[in-house]
Amino acid sequence: MAGHSTDEYYDHSDYVPNPNEEPDAEQQALLPGPTTQLSPSHPTWTSKLFTSTLHVYSYLTLSFLAGILACLAAQFFFCSSNCFSSFTPSNRKSDAHVLAPPYVGSTEVHHFPPALPTNAFPSLFPTNVGYAGGTPTGAEPAVVATAPSYPIHSGAPHLVAPSSKKLSNSSSSSGFDLFKKWGNLSPWYSVGRDAFGLDSGPEPPETCRITGLHFLHRHGARYPTSWTSYGGPAFFAKRLNDAAAGWNATGDLEFMNKWTYKLGEEILTPFGRQQLFDLGVSIRMKYGFLLKNFTETNTIPVFRTESQDRMLASALNFAIGFFGYPFEGQYQQSITIEANGFNNTLAPYKTCPNAQIPSKSDRALPYLRQWANTYLADALERLKPQLVGYDLTTEDVYTLQQMCAYETVAIGYSKFCELFTEEEWEGFNYAMDLYFWYDSAFGSPVAKVQGVGYVQELVARLTHTPIAVHNSSTNATLDDDPVTFPLNQSLYVDATHEVVVLNVITALNLTSFAKDGPLPATHIPPNRSFVVSRLAPFATNVQFQLLSCSSTPNSQIRVIINDGVVPLTGIKGCPEQKDGMCSVDTFVEAQREIIAETDWEWGCHGEWTVPEGSGWNTTTGEPPRRV
């Protein structure tokens, strides 16, 4: 106990008297009777010393027993009979009513680095001390153009999933990959040939060579966002913690009796940082040869991101992977502001008021609730009895699935993953499809209008001409300046959010992804084309690949999403071509028509309404027409 000397806790019962030794002051104080000094040879001294020692033993024994009784009384006072329930015969087979400790569900935080480390001396640890040795460089890599095959990204190094045998009531079906069943929470992976209906890969078709790349990507894996209309791990953890004095978990949920909430909020996880580093390395290995154009023009690239922490961190991790450390002097990073009042094509919702009205922008909620009640019915029935004293709901069970994904990409593994069957994970994956179809893609009335600003920028870059009219989310200050928005690069890299990637896919009119819509909330359509885990996972990326082909006089463009080639037949004038190619001129003309017909003022500021649910639908991402 702080502030007390060790003498206070000295065990006097260890004392063995020496008959030839005069007792010191402390020993004298322990002796009963008058304080008159006695000679050690006097018989009364020995007798009193013996009697005194017995008293000391008795005193300490009584004190020890009193301490035990006091501890038991305190435990009983604070947790009543529950502290002793394990001793009762009726509970030898079941401890269901033993309550969870009060820390269960509380947030666990490990702050690093310390704010003021005592051993930090930056001047003694410079990052460059000279003496680098030889630094000759070599040729730029060009895997996409020179290798006999295209490298496949498997998706999730360093993450651990439960074996199929551990998934609840599962039959261990072949080919099941849990990491691909988390919708937008999945790690990005190469979807493979024919994923989107074309038997073609990202490598250039015969007779063609790659001349440029416009690259759009999402940030890496993050902690949960602070807001959600359905589910939400942080909200669930708080409810558990608030009610910890009244519940206990058993069976498959027993691990929750000691569980704490280990997730932060919105920023990248370590795995998310690695995703973007790897993505940068990957693009340098495939398209590094495009940097020769910058050397020839004595320029360096301008890449874009925006100001949110996870966005900037993603862009910088990409740059370290692409350019190596240090990257200063090799490129310039444009950081647009994500905040209300700032036009920004990478965060268009900030200047689109209708995108912030739930009845227009969050139309997925009733579909999501309906589908969750269907596909999670068995899971709720199975798990509800295992959380005694807490009224588990369908939304809670859905949140447990979210917890599996978020914990895995944050801390590497999650026990929550084992609670569900393969069929229930397929249901969760489709729940994500419903959510983003109706909120951010072809089923949303504000999807196209939010994506059109980026399409305007893409057309400006493809044609090497400035944006003629700023009538959407484009930023005239930045986009009209050739320093911050160059129009003559052979390589562009933009970082954004998954919702914006889906907005752009919708605005481009890539209708092959909308052929099954509107998506039903009653069942999973067979062979559906709109699958969010393929289109918008963590670190999702879109390649707008430019090609020059000896077989055609016109420059060609292809759209490649997560290494899957996308048909462009929904774009006016683009042919049904086996490699997904379309003339750049045709592509640009079709996009100009889309830009002209998209009404930002009406879509983002108009006084239109739509009924909840299936009473109104769109498959083009547009609001009701002006009357």
Side-chain angles (χ1 to χ4, degrees):
M1 204 177 275
H4 291 266
S5 70
T6 54
D7 288 341
E8 291 187 51
Y9 302 101
Y10 181 83
D11 186 359
H12 298 281
S13 62
D14 291 337
Y15 175 68
V16 178
N18 183 344
N20 299 316
E21 179 181 66
E22 185 75 23
D24 62 20
E26 183 176 12
Q27 295 163 355
Q28 185 66 44
L30 289 172
L31 294 176
T35 58
T36 305
Q37 294 291 331
L38 299 176
S39 167
S41 61
H42 196 288
T44 305
W45 160 257
T46 305
S47 173
K48 288 191 174 184
L49 182 60
F50 177 75
T51 304
S52 169
T53 304
L54 288 177
H55 286 178
V56 169
Y57 275 107
S58 300
Y59 171 78
L60 292 173
T61 301
L62 290 173
S63 298
F64 179 71
L65 292 175
I68 292 176
L69 292 174
C71 289
L72 292 174
Q75 291 183 38
F76 188 85
F77 176 78
F78 283 110
C79 58
S80 188
S81 60
N82 294 306
C83 295
F84 312 100
S85 58
S86 60
F87 297 105
T88 60
S90 61
N91 286 307
R92 286 173 181 169
K93 294 183 179 180
S94 172
D95 60 351
H97 76 286
V98 179
L99 304 182
Y103 65 79
V104 170
S106 62
T107 300
E108 185 174 335
V109 178
H110 303 156
H111 291 291
F112 182 85
L116 296 170
T118 58
N119 66 333
F121 301 97
S123 62
L124 298 180
F125 297 92
T127 57
N128 189 340
V129 297
Y131 303 95
T135 57
T137 187
E140 285 292 342
V143 167
V144 70
T146 61
S149 60
Y150 187 87
I152 301 300
H153 185 71
S154 60
H158 310 308
L159 304 185
V160 178
S163 66
S164 293
K165 294 179 181 179
K166 283 199 170 184
L167 293 177
S168 180
N169 300 327
S170 287
S171 57
S172 224
S173 61
S174 60
F176 181 83
D177 188 342
L178 179 62
F179 294 153
K180 298 177 181 178
K181 307 303 178 183
W182 293 340
N184 70 313
L185 306 182
S186 293
W188 92 271
Y189 60 96
S190 297
V191 298
R193 301 173 75 94
D194 200 35
F196 304 132
L198 291 177
D199 186 16
S200 182
E203 62 277 6
E206 290 184 13
T207 79
C208 298
R209 64 182 180 86
I210 295 170
T211 60
L213 178 69
H214 298 247
F215 192 68
L216 178 67
H217 70 82
R218 183 192 178 192
H219 58 75
R222 54 161 172 77
Y223 295 115
T225 55
S226 59
W227 178 89
T228 180
S229 58
Y230 191 77
F235 302 139
F236 178 65
K238 185 178 186 305
R239 290 195 298 272
L240 281 181
N241 182 243
D242 289 345
W247 63 265
N248 173 259
T250 62
D252 294 333
L253 297 180
E254 187 175 4
F255 71 95
M256 292 181 64
N257 288 327
K258 297 182 179 180
W259 174 79
T260 56
Y261 185 69
K262 301 175 181 66
L263 304 177
E265 186 176 294
E266 302 200 0
I267 65 172
L268 292 185
T269 68
F271 172 68
R273 297 196 296 269
Q274 182 229 342
Q275 282 187 294
L276 268 297
F277 175 83
D278 285 352
L279 188 61
V281 172
S282 169
I283 296 303
R284 182 64 176 264
M285 292 299 297
K286 295 166 186 170
Y287 292 99
F289 64 95
L290 293 175
L291 293 176
K292 291 190 294 182
N293 297 314
F294 294 92
T295 302
E296 292 170 358
T297 58
N298 196 31
T299 59
I300 55 176
V302 174
F303 293 172
R304 295 192 307 166
T305 188
E306 41 104 321
S307 59
Q308 273 199 346
D309 186 277
R310 65 182 179 275
M311 295 302 312
L312 181 55
S314 292
L316 296 180
N317 277 284
F318 179 93
I320 293 174
F322 188 87
F323 294 107
Y325 177 82
F327 54 62
E328 287 80 3
Q330 299 192 63
Y331 89 121
Q332 297 177 104
Q333 184 70 64
S334 173
I335 306 171
T336 59
I337 296 175
E338 176 168 346
N340 290 332
F342 291 88
N343 272 26
N344 186 346
T345 60
L346 303 178
Y349 37 82
K350 288 298 183 180
T351 48
C352 183
N354 281 343
Q356 301 174 41
I357 299 175
S359 62
K360 300 176 181 181
S361 62
D362 194 20
R363 297 193 68 249
L365 187 55
Y367 294 91
L368 184 56
R369 282 177 173 155
Q370 181 183 350
W371 174 240
N373 286 331
T374 300
Y375 87 91
L376 287 175
D378 290 345
L380 179 63
E381 183 179 356
R382 184 174 67 249
L383 296 174
K384 193 178 181 73
Q386 299 182 44
L387 202 59
V388 180
Y390 182 94
D391 187 18
L392 201 67
T393 66
T394 299
E395 185 172 355
D396 290 332
V397 177
Y398 172 84
T399 308
L400 297 182
Q401 291 189 296
Q402 288 182 310
M403 202 82 74
C404 158
Y406 277 120
E407 282 196 343
T408 302
V409 299
I411 57 179
Y413 179 78
S414 176
K415 190 75 172 174
F416 290 101
C417 299
E418 300 175 10
L419 301 177
F420 301 95
T421 66
E422 292 178 7
E423 183 179 3
E424 287 159 357
W425 282 118
E426 296 286 1
F428 180 77
N429 203 36
Y430 185 62
M432 296 293 96
D433 297 344
L434 286 170
Y435 183 83
F436 285 97
W437 170 271
Y438 288 105
D439 273 21
S440 306
F442 298 93
S444 165
V446 290
K448 182 178 179 181
V449 73
Q450 291 183 84
V452 77
Y454 187 84
V455 175
Q456 287 178 279
E457 293 177 333
L458 177 63
V459 168
R461 289 166 165 176
L462 290 172
T463 59
H464 314 294
T465 57
I467 297 172
V469 180
H470 292 280
N471 56 1
S472 66
S473 59
T474 58
N475 187 306
T477 302
L478 296 174
D479 288 356
D480 287 348
D481 189 335
V483 174
T484 53
F485 191 75
L487 298 172
N488 56 353
Q489 293 186 172
S490 57
L491 174 66
Y492 298 90
V493 176
D494 296 320
T496 189
H497 302 272
E498 82 272 41
V499 293
V500 182
V501 170
L502 293 172
N503 293 162
V504 171
I505 289 172
T506 304
L508 289 168
N509 205 35
L510 300 180
T511 57
S512 61
F513 297 122
K515 64 182 181 181
D516 300 323
L519 297 184
T522 55
H523 65 282
I524 303 176
N527 303 314
R528 67 192 187 280
S529 59
F530 186 83
V531 182
V532 171
S533 59
R534 295 178 179 178
L535 298 176
F538 284 131
T540 191
N541 54 92
V542 183
Q543 302 177 28
F544 296 92
Q545 192 182 72
L546 303 180
L547 306 109
S548 175
C549 306
S550 60
S551 56
T552 178
N554 301 316
S555 296
Q556 302 290 305
I557 188 171
R558 295 201 297 171
V559 177
I560 300 165
I561 300 176
N562 296 323
D563 295 337
V565 182
V566 179
L568 301 184
T569 49
I571 297 174
K572 186 177 180 180
C574 289
E576 193 170 317
Q577 207 272 347
K578 64 183 182 68
D579 292 306
M581 294 195 301
C582 180
S583 163
V584 171
D585 292 340
T586 301
F587 180 89
V588 165
E589 189 58 36
Q591 296 308 320
R592 281 176 170 161
E593 190 172 313
I594 288 173
I595 292 167
E597 68 185 21
T598 303
D599 190 340
W600 172 270
E601 183 63 30
W602 175 246
C604 285
H605 298 272
E607 294 291 333
W608 50 268
T609 59
V610 290
E612 183 181 276
S614 58
W616 178 89
N617 266 307
T618 176
T619 56
T620 60
E622 297 174 286
R625 297 286 182 181
R626 284 182 186 264
V627 179

